[in-house]
Amino acid sequence: MALFKKSAKKQKANNMTASQNKKQQKQLPNDQLNESLTENIQKIITTLGNSDDIITREIRIGKEQNIKAGIIYTDGLIDSTSNQNFIMESLMLDLPSINIDAAEFEDLIAIFKETVLTVGEISDVTNFSSLFESLLSGHVILLFNGFSNGLAVGMKGGKERSVSEPVNENSIRGPREALTENIRTNTSLIRRKINNQNLWLETKKIGKQTKTTVSFMYINGIANDKVVEEVRRRLDKINIDSLLDSAYIEELIQDETYTPFPTIYHSERPDVVAASLLEGRIAILVDGTPYVLLVPALFVQFLHAPDDYYNRADIVTLIRILRFVGFFIALLGPSLYIAITTFHQEMLPTQLLIGLAAQREGVPFPAFVEALMMEVTFEILRESGLRLPKAIGQAVSIVGTLVIGTAAVEAGIVSAAMVIVVSITAISSFIVSSYNLSISIRMLRFPFMALAASFGLFGIIIGLIALTLHLCSLRSFGVPFMSPFGPFIKEDQKDAILRLPRWGLFARPRLISQKNIKREESSAPKPPEQNE
């Protein structure tokens, strides 16, 4: 019986292997282009489901009209004007004057590439896999009867969004241009900022179904070679069905998944991307999205704004200090109020304590439940304001907050002091320039409120210690997330919380760029001499 089972399993395995070999033998010839132009076009139409946007046209070319050719392209993905001027006219008007005899017929495709087509991007097509990839990427396919290969002519075009102002990263001073959904437009915007032969670009195709173009840029000689190799390795390991936005890449290559803090920075501004490249970072661009990923990312980077480098150093330093203060208010505002009013009333002045006690006299809920209701209500209003149309979104969020807050105080559900605390907390969260970090603050606010309601200030201190340990344990492509605070790097404090004048920013971040550290002279400008 055992022998029968073994022989049956062996026979089944042999049958599966044979069937797989037959499938491979069938697939290999079927993927190869046929010498018959009609059969090739028919297979293209059948494979693409007879789609209406796939345009096919058969023409006869040559002086004696003895060559049958086919033109296939996707309507909407190519530049129709360029196709008319540089392909159709070349084939139908210029080519008839060329006499191609039988001896030259074997070199017909080479003749087309070298003497006929006045287009820069031309590549050979030898199988249907490369043909469909080129056809659906905005190329015009040229096939010839009697040849089992063809040409893919670059004619990408179609309707695209023009360069406009940034939507989420506004600045008072600085460039007003933002990245678009076209990856070539984005690379050109970045290259306009950095006119350097060492700005290198590598491109990959990711996504089995979408075959999305993904590129990463870095400045050779400034970027860390180990980080560049790590980015290349992580992108090569991605095996995903579809890739529609850079957020897909961000989740797949980040160092730590289970953390509320983002370890990869993203931006829609070409000047921010250019400044990061000059510091030694690497930019990851995805076709179809205006947001570029920047690695390695540091915690302090999320608290910087684009116009920090377009204003005077003393003004920027003051604003940055205010931004850090707003960060702690947004994180700890409600929890400090809960802890002090519940456990540590002796910390308040007598008159303020009496006033708070009078306000809370008719409130039936403890401070924690009161704060929880207000915070959840405000988060609902904020999200609904984002999803509503722009014309009414802001009005609904502002009016809703005022009406609900006033009605809740008059109904005795919450105290007026709690409305003030929640409002200041919400406003402080908007001072953080990075949307990702502000979401992290909103997430962590609730655990800190629970710790304050349970243990008072002691619970808040324990939470801060745990949060600090967690932040110090994070890495972004091998670089400590809390650099230059942990580990403490004295030289990098010039552009952390404070910002020195332009002549003081003479070195790149030490842990990001470990070569070519010096970027400008560290000498202060001398005052003009006074005439006696």
Side-chain angles (χ1 to χ4, degrees):
M1 192 70 180
L3 292 173
F4 176 75
K5 288 182 178 179
K6 288 183 179 179
S7 61
K9 289 182 179 178
K10 187 174 182 181
Q11 185 177 1
K12 186 177 180 181
N14 292 334
N15 291 336
M16 291 178 63
T17 305
S19 63
Q20 290 176 358
N21 291 335
K22 288 181 180 180
K23 287 182 180 179
Q24 291 177 358
Q25 290 175 0
K26 289 180 180 179
Q27 288 175 358
L28 287 175
N30 288 342
D31 192 53
Q32 187 71 30
L33 288 175
N34 199 295
E35 291 186 358
S36 172
L37 176 63
T38 304
E39 292 183 9
N40 287 334
I41 292 179
Q42 186 60 40
K43 182 170 181 179
I44 293 172
I45 295 174
T46 305
T47 305
L48 295 175
N50 199 19
S51 301
D52 293 334
D53 60 341
I54 305 299
I55 309 300
T56 60
R57 182 176 177 183
E58 296 185 26
I59 60 175
R60 289 189 175 274
I61 57 179
K63 189 173 183 179
E64 299 179 359
Q65 303 291 312
N66 58 340
I67 303 172
K68 192 176 181 181
I71 302 173
I72 307 101
Y73 60 90
T74 305
D75 189 21
L77 293 183
I78 69 162
D79 186 353
S80 300
T81 304
S82 299
N83 180 38
Q84 182 72 25
N85 295 336
F86 300 109
I87 296 182
M88 302 294 290
E89 286 189 7
S90 298
L91 294 178
M92 303 182 71
L93 299 180
D94 300 337
L95 190 61
S97 61
I98 302 176
N99 186 15
I100 301 175
D101 55 20
E104 295 176 335
F105 187 75
E106 296 181 357
D107 299 328
L108 177 65
I109 294 181
I111 293 174
F112 269 83
K113 291 173 65 176
E114 296 173 3
T115 62
V116 177
L117 296 174
T118 58
V119 181
E121 185 182 356
I122 301 177
S123 58
D124 293 321
V125 173
T126 58
N127 52 54
F128 282 101
S129 298
S130 59
L131 185 148
F132 286 124
E133 182 177 348
S134 301
L135 176 64
L136 299 175
S137 298
H139 290 71
V140 176
I141 305 299
L142 295 180
L143 299 178
F144 305 95
N145 192 40
F147 291 87
S148 60
N149 59 333
L151 296 175
V153 184
M155 284 288 166
K156 293 183 180 180
K159 299 294 182 181
E160 298 174 358
R161 184 171 67 92
S162 60
V163 178
S164 58
E165 291 191 15
V167 178
N168 297 318
E169 296 180 76
N170 297 321
S171 63
I172 298 174
R173 185 176 180 181
R176 298 296 187 194
E177 56 188 6
L179 300 172
T180 68
E181 286 76 13
N182 188 300
I183 192 170
R184 281 295 159 260
T185 303
N186 295 340
T187 55
S188 65
L189 289 173
I190 296 171
R191 287 195 180 275
R192 288 178 186 175
K193 304 288 184 183
I194 306 176
N195 185 8
N196 191 338
Q197 70 274 12
N198 291 321
L199 180 59
W200 291 2
L201 175 71
E202 296 185 25
T203 302
K204 304 176 182 296
K205 294 285 187 180
I206 299 179
K208 294 180 181 178
Q209 303 295 333
T210 58
K211 293 181 176 61
T212 308
T213 302
V214 178
S215 303
F216 64 94
M217 302 180 76
Y218 61 95
I219 300 180
N220 184 44
I222 295 179
N224 192 334
D225 294 335
K226 293 182 179 179
V227 178
V228 173
E229 183 59 34
E230 182 65 18
V231 171
R232 188 182 293 113
R233 185 186 66 83
R234 294 189 189 187
L235 290 177
D236 289 337
K237 287 179 63 178
I238 295 177
N239 185 11
I240 192 172
D241 201 47
S242 61
L243 181 61
L244 304 178
D245 189 81
S246 58
Y248 290 44
I249 297 284
E250 183 176 355
E251 285 194 60
L252 292 171
I253 67 174
Q254 61 186 356
D255 289 66
E256 185 67 36
T257 302
Y258 302 105
T259 177
F261 293 96
T263 55
I264 296 177
Y265 191 83
H266 68 263
S267 177
E268 62 174 339
R269 297 176 59 106
D271 57 329
V272 173
V273 177
S276 299
L277 289 170
L278 291 169
E279 287 185 343
R281 291 183 172 87
I282 300 169
I284 303 174
L285 301 89
V286 179
D287 193 21
T289 176
Y291 288 95
V292 173
L293 305 180
L294 298 170
V295 295
L298 305 180
F299 173 79
V300 71
Q301 184 181 358
F302 292 91
L303 289 168
H304 292 173
D307 51 354
D308 284 357
Y309 301 95
Y310 303 131
N311 292 310
R312 284 170 39 194
D314 51 351
I315 299 175
V316 173
T317 299
L318 177 62
I319 294 175
R320 280 189 181 178
I321 293 173
L322 188 64
R323 205 174 290 148
F324 275 87
V325 172
F327 169 80
F328 284 104
I329 292 176
L331 180 65
L332 303 174
S335 57
L336 287 174
Y337 177 82
I338 294 170
I340 292 174
T341 56
T342 306
F343 295 97
H344 311 283
Q345 295 91 346
E346 67 277 2
M347 296 179 63
L348 296 174
T350 305
Q351 293 296 328
L352 179 59
L353 181 60
I354 294 173
L356 291 177
Q359 292 178 17
R360 291 189 47 80
E361 185 177 359
V363 178
F365 305 108
F368 173 68
V369 177
E370 191 181 357
L372 189 63
M373 288 191 302
M374 290 300 298
E375 286 291 341
V376 171
T377 303
F378 187 82
E379 293 297 331
I380 292 173
L381 287 170
R382 175 150 50 181
E383 283 300 312
S384 62
L386 290 175
R387 308 303 169 206
L388 287 171
K390 291 183 179 180
I392 61 174
Q394 294 181 353
V396 168
S397 59
I398 294 173
V399 174
T401 304
L402 292 174
V403 171
I404 291 175
T406 304
V409 172
E410 292 179 355
I413 299 175
V414 297
S415 62
M418 179 58 72
V419 175
I420 295 173
V421 170
V422 172
S423 301
I424 293 175
T425 302
I427 294 171
S428 299
S429 64
F430 289 118
I431 202 173
V432 179
S433 56
S434 172
Y435 180 72
N436 279 3
L437 186 60
S438 65
I439 293 179
S440 303
I441 297 171
R442 290 158 58 184
M443 292 171 58
L444 293 171
R445 192 182 298 154
F446 294 97
F448 273 99
M449 288 165 54
L451 289 172
S454 303
F455 308 104
L457 291 178
F458 178 74
I460 294 177
I461 293 172
I462 295 298
L464 286 174
I465 293 173
L467 180 63
T468 304
L469 292 175
H470 174 70
L471 286 171
C472 292
S473 67
L474 295 179
R475 295 288 186 275
S476 179
F477 284 79
V479 178
F481 187 59
M482 288 303 292
S483 173
F485 305 124
F488 184 81
I489 302 174
K490 182 180 178 181
E491 293 82 1
D492 289 350
Q493 301 302 318
K494 63 185 180 300
D495 191 22
I497 298 178
L498 308 178
R499 207 216 84 180
L500 294 184
R502 182 63 57 185
W503 47 263
L505 305 177
F506 58 88
R508 296 183 175 88
R510 297 302 176 101
L511 292 181
I512 295 177
S513 177
Q514 298 181 355
K515 55 183 181 180
N516 196 3
I517 296 294
K518 192 174 181 180
R519 56 181 170 185
E520 56 186 80
E521 295 296 332
S522 60
S523 58
K526 296 181 180 180
E529 296 181 358
Q530 299 291 336
N531 295 326
E532 296 181 358

